[in-house]
Amino acid sequence: MHINPAAARRTADIVLGVGFAAAGCVAGAQYPAERWLPFDGWAYVLTVATALTLTVRRDLPVAVLLASCLGYAGYLALGHPPSLNFWVPVISLVSLAAQRPPRVARPAALLTAAVVLYSGVQGGVSLLLAAVQAVCVPAVALFLGTNQRTLAQRNADLARLTVRLARAQEEEAGRAVVDERIRIARELHDVLAQQMAVITVQSGLARYVYSSDPPTAQAALDAVAGAGRDALDELRRLLGVLRVGPDGESDAPPLRPLPGIDRIPELAERIEAAGVRVQTHTEGVVRPLGAGLELCAYRVVQESLTNVVKHAGATRAEVRIRYLGDRLLITIRDDGRGHGGGQGSAQGKGQGKGHGGESAATDTGSGLGLLGLRERVKIWNGVLSTGARPGGGFEVRLSLPLPSASRR
């Protein structure tokens, strides 16, 4: 059952006011009356009226304090005995200090102190004791109310901070979604660009030699089929990330691990099927790196060789991998005709002409591949440089810092 906090506080205030009214009347009627007037009708009226002001102490704290002090002072002025009415102005001061700033609470405390002093004098206690009461009781009430106000302010600040943190988390989650979409788009580009380049070149070659050289056409179609299977395999792995079951786990079937440096020779074989001879060289001590670092290196080589097939008009390419003490250096070179446009802009047109003057491979470079590579390399604090070679062709150089755990 849900309880409204405001209604609960209102009920508590009503119970407090009625309780003090009833207790004050009972105490006043039972109080010895040697030196005070009997507890008559006016005493009952002033006691009840003073106590009932507590029912609205949260709504009108200043008015309640003034009314309670005036009511109790009038009760004492008529000569009635001091009773539980003494505590009503004190409780009113606590409520006021909890809701108003010190510039309002301090004058209210002085007024309460004057009423407490008057109560002590009327009650027949010594002037010293009356003065001590007039100082200590309002001071304690002011202290309690001020602490309540400070705590309420801190709770309000904490609530606002919680709201801001929740909004910040939502914004961060939104940014994470955007970043993930960008990552997936980049992965899709990496997966499709290389395979589709091979498929485009080989299908164009198969069409070109379909009648004149059936064995070559058959080999080209086999390469198309292999590239298509590889593309589907990687697409299943990537899209499996987006397939999440009710329990929050991916329900995609397990597939082979992310590609790494050890699969570059396999990549080179597929590129050779597209008509570009690729040589790979490895120097230094080969050692396993992190999956993310391996994937970054693989994607750079993949995009570079894809551009060789799509744009460079090259016949040969070379991939050189060097394991140094603290860095991994990878160089991709080709003998194409491009001068600075091979990584994302056209270096040359098709590999040959088919029947009717149609190109066996077309230039579809958009420049997005290089931008994606630079962002990927930046994540690993690496350096990617590209440019035309002085003797012709194009070169891509990748330098990645190796983690300390992998150094020897």
Side-chain angles (χ1 to χ4, degrees), residues 104-344:
V104 177
R106 288 168 184 164
L110 294 177
L111 177 61
T112 305
V115 173
V116 171
L117 178 63
Y118 182 50
S119 175
V121 172
Q122 289 292 95
V125 300
S126 66
L127 184 60
L128 177 61
L129 179 57
V132 171
Q133 288 181 339
V135 172
C136 294
V137 173
V140 172
L142 186 63
F143 174 78
L144 293 176
T146 302
N147 279 354
Q148 288 183 15
R149 183 171 184 271
T150 301
L151 181 60
Q153 288 178 338
R154 290 177 179 175
N155 288 338
D157 292 341
L158 182 60
R160 287 191 292 269
L161 179 60
T162 302
V163 172
R164 287 199 295 268
L165 287 176
R167 291 176 180 173
Q169 288 177 347
E170 292 178 358
E171 294 175 357
E172 184 65 23
R175 285 193 294 268
V177 170
V178 173
D179 292 342
E180 184 65 12
R181 288 176 179 174
I182 294 174
R183 186 190 69 82
I184 291 175
R186 187 177 299 147
E187 288 289 327
L188 284 173
H189 173 273
D190 292 341
V191 168
L192 292 178
Q194 189 267 338
Q195 304 293 358
M196 292 306 298
V198 174
I199 290 173
T200 301
V201 172
Q202 291 300 316
S203 60
L205 176 61
R207 181 181 180 185
Y208 183 70
V209 299
Y210 182 76
S211 300
S212 60
D213 191 353
T216 300
Q218 182 63 44
L221 292 176
D222 290 341
V224 168
R229 284 192 298 270
D230 289 341
L232 285 176
D233 188 30
E234 292 218 34
L235 282 175
R236 288 192 191 99
R237 174 189 61 77
L238 182 60
L239 296 179
V241 176
L242 304 179
R243 294 172 55 193
V244 180
D247 56 354
E249 297 293 335
S250 174
D251 58 0
L255 297 169
R256 60 180 176 175
L258 291 170
I261 297 176
D262 59 334
R263 288 180 57 185
I264 289 180
E266 177 185 341
L267 174 65
E269 291 179 2
R270 290 201 298 267
I271 295 298
E272 287 187 342
V276 178
R277 183 181 177 185
V278 181
Q279 294 180 333
T280 59
H281 305 278
T282 302
E283 302 176 7
V285 179
V286 178
R287 53 190 184 272
L289 309 176
L293 204 62
E294 293 254 355
L295 179 62
C296 177
Y298 178 87
R299 292 305 189 201
V300 170
V301 176
Q302 182 185 50
E303 177 69 19
S304 301
L305 292 180
T306 298
N307 284 330
V308 170
V309 173
K310 292 169 62 178
H311 311 306
T315 59
R316 295 193 311 274
E318 177 188 43
V319 179
R320 187 174 298 275
I321 305 169
R322 300 176 60 192
Y323 290 86
L324 303 180
D326 60 348
R327 304 191 73 80
L328 174 67
L329 299 181
I330 298 180
T331 305
I332 305 97
R333 297 173 178 170
D334 65 67
D335 63 350
R337 300 185 300 273
H339 296 280
Q343 304 303 312

Side-chain angles (χ1 to χ4, degrees), residues 333 338-339 387-395:
R333 297 173 178 170
H339 296 280
R389 299 170 58 194
F394 204 78
E395 178 179 88

